[in-house]
Amino acid sequence: MHSSKDEIEGDEELAASSGSGVSRGRRYSPVVAHDNDRAVLEMSSIDPRSSSSTQDHKKVKVNIQQDVDSEGSIPNHSVNGPQRESKLELFGFDSLVNILGLKSMTGDQIQAPPSPRDGGNVSITLERPRPTAVKSGTLMGVFVPCLQNIMGIIYYIRFSWIVGMAGIGESLLLVAFCGSCTFLTTISLSAIATNGAMKGGGPYYLIGRALGPEVGVSIGLCFFLGNAVAGAMYVLGAVETFLDAVPAAGILRETVTKVNGTNIAEPITRPSLHDLQIYGIVVTILLCFIVFGGVKMINRVAPAFLVPVLLSLMCIFTGILLARHDRPAVGITGLSVKSFKENWGPAYQRTSNAGIPDPNGKIYWSFNALVGLFFPAVTGIMAGSNRSASLKDTQRSIPVGTLAATLTTSGLYLVSVLIFGSVATRDKLLTDRLLTATIAWPFPAIVYVGIILSTLGAALQSLTGAPRLLAAIANDDILPVLNYFKVVDGSEPHAATFFTAFLCIGCVVIGNLDLISPTITMFYLLCYAGVNLSCFLLDLLDAPSWRPRWKFHHWSISLVGALLCVVIMFLISWSFTVVSLSLASLIYYYVSIKGKAGDWGDGFKSAYFQLALRSLRSLGASQVHPKNWYPIPLIFCRPWGKLPENVPCHPKLADFANCMKKKGRGMSIFISIIDGDYHERAEDAKAACKQLSTYIDYKNCEGVAEIVVAPNMSEGFRGIVQTMGLGNLKPNIIVMRYPEIWRRENLTEIPATFVGIINDCVVANKAVVIVKGLDEWPNEYQRQYGTIDLYWIVRDGGLMLLLSQLLLTKDSFEGCKIQVFCIAEEDSDAEGLKADVKKFLYDLRMQAEVIVISMKSWEGQGEQQESIEAFSAAQRRIASYLAEMKERAERDKTPLMADGKPVVVNEQQVEKFLYTTLKLNSTILKYSRMAAVVFVSLPPPPANHPAFFYMEYMDLLVENVPRLLIVRGYRRDVVTLFT
């Protein structure tokens, strides 16, 4: 093939001018080898923004430069590598060798290659490889961020005070108690994080995908609040440390608190609350400006915050070793066994708001209160999971880095308890808020700088992570109210940052660190409990997709971790616990009401599936006791005639299906049959099923939709009635509309189909309910008055009685009364039958009036004029049809044939059947002309009678009855006399 160079170059310019649209909106045909020295790739250009009727298919040719060998031939190269003859051609073009197929498994938004059966071209994107972002390893990506977040303000300015208040013994218990909670949570986090690829959102992403969008959003928003409030705590800690180190920087006067009950004579000073508020607001605004600079700026300054932390720790421990010898101070004993013994037991007492011992103080400290104060010092284990997008190997880095940081800090805390308890007297521990700076070597300024920079770094991390967490929740499009915080991938969440700054400043205005700390504790514990519950549920269900690389986990460990979180919450403050759980519950309720549905394959869906399987197995295949019997109707949506294309089901069928269930509980199966070949109509069936499901939800009917493709309706129904359902959850009632249109529309195939369906139901032991007058069936807002009349002719297991009682539970029929009409063959049987039926209804707890009609009274009963006219017309039609059958049999020299099979016609029996339906129709018109609805037993199709004859019997039975339910039970009872 030879193409002009100008044409190709012109097409290249056209392709280049189209920009990125070429690589995203087009489908490419595979590259094939040609005899010339150029390879031409033809692209079928489709503008995704154009409508289907105006799509402009352009042919664009792109010149691809390839190396030419010495003989002038082209090496056979494709886009992804050398093109060779495929040995997997049998499997089509979608083999796993195609990297696009593998990318689709990871959740990347890539248009899947069309199947060759669809007639489309295989999609191949040609573009230069994008430069990959720098990925972090375990040390800098997980361990260091976790260490920075865990080692915060509490350790520097509260830990020595906690040791003095609780004593060494209970301080060790406190550290072990809180540390075990985060340790168990880390194990659960490691298991979930190694069960697949992670996206943005950190713990919200993990919890939401495990427990569902409602739980994920509720806990995620609480975790966001916890991070925002934690930012305020870190800011206040940094400001308080700065004002303690530089008292002259205070704008307002310092508050002086006298020490009561201690041996230290000098007064204890505390920065003014207003100074904390003013400096805190300014620092928060400055940090927000840094956050607006983006992640790159934050990552550049983040390592600088780690060095002061390590340096300050070295200075603190060096000062402890040299405390007594280098610079002895009041209350500093150095490492002393005497101090260790004196500080072993607790000394819980009242203090002022500043934590200074005061017998008249407002706050009484106990172990429970110290848990709430200390727990933020062990949080921060989610810092690594929050950065999952920037890790080289999330499934290795998160468990190793997080667990290493947790064990390192817990070990540091345990050692610090022993050292702080041995280095100073209890009075010094309780009154010197910055004991770490006092004992630091060579001078306290290093610790002050380290505290300020470390806390500001932690605040910066909180102000960086919280907006991204809120943006991740908003991007999932679950809550419409969060749409303002949505961001495009790769963009900075400016709106979420503004909102986070507003919350942080509000907490800074409070100005009291000890009041903020319990609030953070509740939100963090709620998040940790969610992570543990997620792992517990996934581990307990053990779905096939649950295959975490982290093997050191068990559902019992996660359960203990979750219970420990809840116990800690109540130990700290039951009032704060109730408030936090109420807030999470309100968010959960709001999301379930206002949120958009999202199917993330969460654990609850797996739990429902497992519960359904166990329930199905426990039901077994044996018959259900009448006390536990529920109607499971199989509803024929479009059996006779045609509805408009946009109406997948008769509107009143869904209303009638709801009438068959008590308080709407129960399952309905809506079925529709599409005539044709399955291979040709499979896509039509999927579209119809989706449309029918949407319609069922719109009608607020609990049910499922099923579409079956079959050669004809009879074959389709026969397959449905045999296979639909599982065990005892198979449909037990077939509901369909009476084919009133068959004579009017001259649909001669309906009688045979109708009779075949009824016979199939009899063989399959299914009950049948046929609705006549469906167009007039009332909806839930149309009140009905009068009676519900039951013409109980044959034993049906009580189905007719039960359906009438279910109707009374609906608002539209609750004002009606039930009348039961029984047919007695002899007058002498009437009184006994009436007494028996009354006693039977009394034992069934059913209120109904019983009326017995004897067949002898039919003889003297005058028929209704309209019934006589219908009877005469039916006789004429049957006689005409029979004459045609006989004429055809004589002509073809065959026996009488109808519906493709031989029949035996007993004209006297046909006349008897017509007369019976005439009398029954006259009786219904006489007693039930004004009834709200009439029930009557369905006569089975007589053997060897043409289907046309049976339709004549049925037409005569239902003539002029506006709303009729024709019911046939099956070989079992659905009601019981016994409790």
Side-chain angles (χ1 to χ4, degrees):
M1 180 181 69
H2 297 280
S3 301
S4 67
K5 184 175 181 180
D6 294 337
E7 178 185 353
I8 296 176
E9 291 176 351
D11 289 335
E12 285 185 79
E13 293 174 1
L14 175 62
S17 64
S18 62
S20 60
V22 174
S23 63
R24 286 196 296 266
R26 291 163 171 77
R27 295 183 300 175
Y28 301 82
S29 59
V31 180
V32 294
H34 297 282
D35 295 330
N36 60 351
D37 57 350
R38 298 177 185 272
V40 179
L41 183 67
E42 294 186 0
M43 299 179 295
S44 177
S45 174
I46 301 176
D47 188 355
R49 293 171 294 182
S50 62
S51 62
S52 58
S53 60
T54 61
Q55 284 185 347
D56 181 19
H57 297 273
K58 303 175 183 178
K59 291 291 184 179
V60 184
K61 296 182 179 178
V62 178
N63 187 311
I64 300 180
Q65 297 294 337
Q66 297 189 356
D67 295 333
V68 182
D69 59 15
S70 58
E71 297 181 0
S73 61
I74 303 174
N76 196 3
H77 287 288
S78 64
V79 177
N80 291 324
Q83 172 122 357
R84 58 183 180 274
E85 183 180 356
S86 175
K87 298 180 180 179
L88 298 176
E89 186 178 357
L90 172 64
F91 296 92
F93 293 120
D94 293 336
S95 65
L96 288 178
V97 177
N98 186 356
I99 193 64
L100 296 179
L102 295 179
K103 285 186 177 180
S104 66
M105 294 181 184
T106 64
D108 294 346
Q109 299 299 321
I110 297 177
Q111 183 178 358
S115 172
R117 181 176 295 175
D118 299 334
N121 296 327
V122 178
S123 177
I124 300 176
T125 301
L126 289 180
E127 57 183 10
R128 293 183 179 179
R130 298 178 180 177
T132 57
V134 178
K135 299 290 186 178
S136 302
T138 303
L139 180 64
M140 296 303 298
V142 179
F143 179 75
V144 170
C146 288
L147 197 63
Q148 282 184 313
N149 279 266
I150 296 174
M151 286 295 301
I153 185 67
I154 300 295
Y155 178 78
Y156 287 104
I157 67 175
R158 288 292 184 270
F159 195 68
S160 59
W161 182 89
I162 291 174
V163 174
M165 184 65 69
I168 297 175
E170 293 196 11
S171 295
L172 292 173
L173 179 63
L174 176 66
V175 173
F177 187 59
C178 295
S180 61
C181 177
T182 55
F183 177 74
L184 296 179
T185 304
T186 301
I187 293 178
S188 299
L189 173 67
S190 301
I192 304 177
T194 58
N195 192 48
M198 284 182 59
K199 294 184 179 180
Y204 156 72
Y205 180 84
L206 299 177
I207 296 172
R209 269 59 180 180
L211 300 182
E214 294 86 358
V215 179
V217 171
S218 58
I219 295 181
L221 287 177
C222 290
F223 189 61
F224 158 75
L225 292 175
N227 276 276
V229 175
M233 184 190 73
Y234 293 133
V235 168
L236 284 175
V239 171
E240 184 176 343
T241 305
F242 171 72
L243 292 177
D244 281 338
V246 188
I251 301 175
L252 303 174
R253 288 188 309 168
E254 291 183 334
T255 301
V256 179
T257 304
K258 293 183 179 180
V259 179
N260 298 316
T262 64
N263 297 324
I264 302 178
E266 70 266 15
I268 304 300
T269 60
R270 180 179 183 271
S272 170
L273 175 64
H274 301 296
D275 283 343
L276 291 176
Q277 294 170 342
I278 294 172
Y279 278 101
I281 293 173
V282 172
V283 171
T284 303
I285 294 175
L286 292 177
L287 290 177
C288 288
F289 277 114
I290 298 177
V291 173
F292 274 112
V295 179
K296 290 184 178 179
M297 181 180 294
I298 297 170
N299 289 338
R300 287 172 183 172
V301 299
F305 294 113
L306 179 62
V307 175
V309 174
L310 298 177
L311 183 60
S312 62
L313 288 176
M314 291 175 59
C315 293
I316 291 172
F317 283 102
T318 304
I320 289 174
L321 296 175
L322 303 176
R324 194 169 188 178
H325 307 284
D326 186 39
R327 285 183 309 141
V330 179
I332 302 297
T333 64
L335 295 177
S336 169
V337 176
K338 181 181 177 182
S339 299
F340 182 88
K341 292 179 179 180
E342 291 177 353
N343 295 331
W344 178 261
Y348 298 120
Q349 54 189 295
R350 291 186 177 274
T351 68
S352 64
N353 291 335
I356 306 301
D358 185 356
N360 299 320
K362 298 180 180 179
I363 303 175
Y364 179 77
W365 291 95
S366 62
F367 182 83
N368 298 350
L370 290 181
V371 171
L373 178 62
F374 174 71
F375 193 82
V378 297
T379 59
I381 59 175
M382 299 296 176
S385 62
N386 289 337
R387 304 185 177 200
S388 57
S390 61
L391 297 177
K392 294 179 181 178
D393 186 359
T394 57
Q395 300 189 27
R396 181 183 182 277
S397 298
I398 289 180
V400 174
T402 308
L403 203 58
T406 303
L407 294 177
T408 300
T409 52
S410 297
L412 175 65
Y413 290 150
L414 292 174
V415 172
S416 299
V417 168
L418 299 175
I419 292 178
F420 287 154
S422 304
V423 79
T425 63
R426 189 181 299 273
D427 291 340
K428 186 64 174 178
L429 292 174
L430 291 174
T431 55
D432 192 345
R433 298 170 59 87
L434 282 169
L435 180 65
T436 53
T438 303
I439 63 177
W441 180 88
F443 41 81
I446 295 180
V447 174
Y448 283 115
V449 173
I451 293 173
I452 294 172
L453 290 181
S454 64
T455 50
L456 288 180
L460 188 63
Q461 294 294 339
S462 296
L463 293 177
T464 304
R468 280 155 180 78
L469 176 60
L470 183 61
I473 299 174
N475 285 340
D476 278 337
D477 204 19
I478 300 297
L479 271 184
V481 73
L482 298 179
N483 288 341
Y484 301 102
F485 304 115
K486 283 185 176 180
V487 293
V488 183
D489 290 341
S491 302
E492 294 295 325
H494 297 304
T497 303
F498 271 119
F499 184 68
T500 306
F502 175 77
L503 292 178
C504 188
I505 290 175
C507 294
V508 166
V509 170
I510 297 176
N512 193 337
L513 190 65
D514 297 333
L515 292 179
I516 294 176
S517 181
T519 309
I520 302 171
T521 304
M522 292 301 168
F523 291 141
Y524 275 94
L525 281 169
L526 200 60
C527 177
Y528 295 166
V531 172
N532 282 300
L533 285 176
S534 301
C535 187
F536 164 73
L537 183 63
L538 295 173
D539 220 343
L540 188 65
L541 295 175
D542 200 15
S545 61
W546 176 246
R547 301 185 304 276
R549 294 182 182 275
W550 181 258
K551 301 301 181 183
F552 305 100
H553 65 90
H554 192 264
W555 63 265
S556 59
I557 296 177
S558 301
L559 180 60
V560 171
L563 293 177
L564 196 58
C565 292
V566 176
V567 168
I568 291 176
M569 291 177 72
F570 280 98
L571 282 178
I572 295 171
S573 171
W574 67 267
S575 57
F576 273 99
T577 302
V578 171
V579 169
S580 60
L581 291 177
S582 300
L583 177 62
S585 300
L586 286 175
I587 298 175
Y588 179 91
Y589 180 75
Y590 181 77
V591 173
S592 62
I593 298 299
K594 298 291 185 180
K596 299 180 181 179
D599 187 5
W600 294 342
D602 54 87
F604 281 127
K605 298 291 178 64
S606 180
Y608 298 152
F609 184 77
Q610 296 269 9
L611 184 61
L613 290 180
R614 291 191 178 187
S615 301
L616 190 61
R617 287 197 299 265
S618 64
L619 284 176
S622 58
Q623 289 188 353
V624 179
H625 193 277
K627 288 191 295 184
N628 300 324
W629 187 88
Y630 285 85
I632 306 177
L634 179 71
I635 300 169
F636 250 161
C637 296
R638 307 164 61 114
W640 323 115
K642 290 188 177 181
L643 295 172
E645 290 299 326
N646 59 341
V647 181
C649 176
H650 194 288
K652 294 301 180 68
L653 270 177
D655 295 329
F656 179 74
N658 281 329
C659 290
M660 299 182 68
K661 294 178 287 189
K662 188 175 183 179
K663 297 181 181 179
R665 291 194 296 263
M667 183 180 69
S668 301
I669 302 175
F670 290 80
I671 195 76
S672 186
I673 298 175
I674 298 179
D675 294 341
D677 181 75
Y678 176 69
H679 290 260
E680 297 176 356
R681 305 296 302 274
E683 294 301 323
D684 297 338
K686 292 178 183 177
C689 187
K690 184 176 181 180
Q691 185 184 30
L692 183 56
S693 298
T694 304
Y695 185 79
I696 294 171
D697 294 337
Y698 167 74
K699 296 294 289 185
N700 293 323
C701 185
E702 290 187 359
V704 296
E706 293 290 345
I707 304 295
V708 174
V709 180
N712 53 65
M713 185 180 296
S714 298
E715 293 294 330
F717 179 80
R718 191 162 293 141
I720 291 169
V721 79
Q722 292 181 76
T723 60
M724 186 64 67
L726 292 171
N728 274 315
L729 288 183
K730 290 183 177 180
N732 46 31
I733 302 178
I734 308 301
V735 179
M736 59 183 170
R737 182 184 186 184
Y738 184 77
E740 304 169 53
I741 64 170
W742 78 278
R743 196 190 314 282
R744 184 174 66 249
E745 303 282 342
N746 195 26
L747 301 174
T748 55
E749 73 279 359
I750 283 184
T753 304
F754 182 69
V755 171
I757 289 176
I758 295 177
N759 285 329
D760 290 341
C761 292
V762 173
V763 173
N765 195 26
K766 305 289 185 185
V768 182
V769 176
I770 301 172
V771 188
K772 194 260 181 180
L774 185 62
D775 295 334
E776 289 79 30
W777 191 264
N779 59 32
E780 56 182 330
Y781 305 108
Q782 295 174 325
R783 294 286 182 134
Q784 301 297 306
Y785 301 96
T787 60
I788 299 175
D789 293 349
L790 280 64
Y791 286 83
W792 196 13
I793 302 173
V794 298
R795 181 178 181 274
D796 60 358
L799 179 61
M800 191 183 296
L801 296 172
L802 183 61
L803 292 179
S804 65
Q805 292 295 319
L806 292 176
L807 281 184
L808 289 181
T809 63
K810 304 302 173 184
D811 293 338
S812 52
F813 289 98
E814 64 179 359
C816 298
K817 295 183 178 180
I818 296 178
Q819 294 184 142
V820 179
F821 293 85
C822 300
I823 308 298
E825 294 189 5
E826 300 291 340
D827 290 339
S828 58
D829 300 335
E831 292 302 322
L833 178 60
K834 183 174 183 178
D836 291 342
V837 173
K838 278 189 172 182
K839 178 65 167 57
F840 181 69
L841 294 178
Y842 176 79
D843 291 337
L844 288 177
R845 294 86 63 201
M846 294 182 179
Q847 297 288 335
E849 181 183 356
V850 180
I851 301 172
V852 178
I853 302 173
S854 65
M855 295 182 66
K856 278 214 168 168
S857 64
W858 284 7
E859 303 298 333
Q861 169 184 307
E863 286 81 11
Q864 305 292 324
Q865 182 62 34
E866 55 266 39
S867 299
I868 295 177
E869 294 176 358
F871 177 74
S872 301
Q875 282 183 318
R876 290 193 297 271
R877 287 191 295 268
I878 286 179
S880 175
Y881 187 83
L882 185 57
E884 290 180 6
M885 287 174 56
K886 291 180 178 180
E887 181 180 352
R888 186 166 58 249
E890 291 178 359
R891 184 179 65 248
D892 298 338
K893 304 299 183 180
T894 58
L896 289 179
M897 300 287 292
D899 308 320
K901 58 184 178 181
V903 295
V904 178
V905 177
N906 186 336
E907 297 184 26
Q908 186 176 2
Q909 190 182 39
V910 172
E911 192 73 17
K912 179 182 178 181
F913 289 165
L914 279 175
Y915 182 74
T916 301
T917 53
L918 166 66
K919 290 296 184 179
L920 186 55
N921 177 259
S922 298
T923 303
I924 293 173
L925 293 180
K926 179 181 178 181
Y927 292 102
S928 306
R929 189 180 291 270
M930 301 303 294
V933 63
V934 177
F935 287 76
V936 66
S937 299
L938 172 68
N944 299 324
H945 277 226
F948 181 86
F949 289 7
Y950 182 73
M951 289 303 301
E952 291 292 349
Y953 308 152
M954 294 299 299
D955 280 353
L956 184 56
L957 175 63
V958 305
E959 185 71 25
N960 296 316
V961 182
R963 197 180 293 157
L964 183 68
L965 296 181
I966 313 169
V967 180
R968 177 175 178 81
Y970 58 113
R971 296 185 295 272
R972 59 160 306 163
D973 293 331
V974 298
V975 294
T976 179
L977 304 178
F978 304 102
T979 182

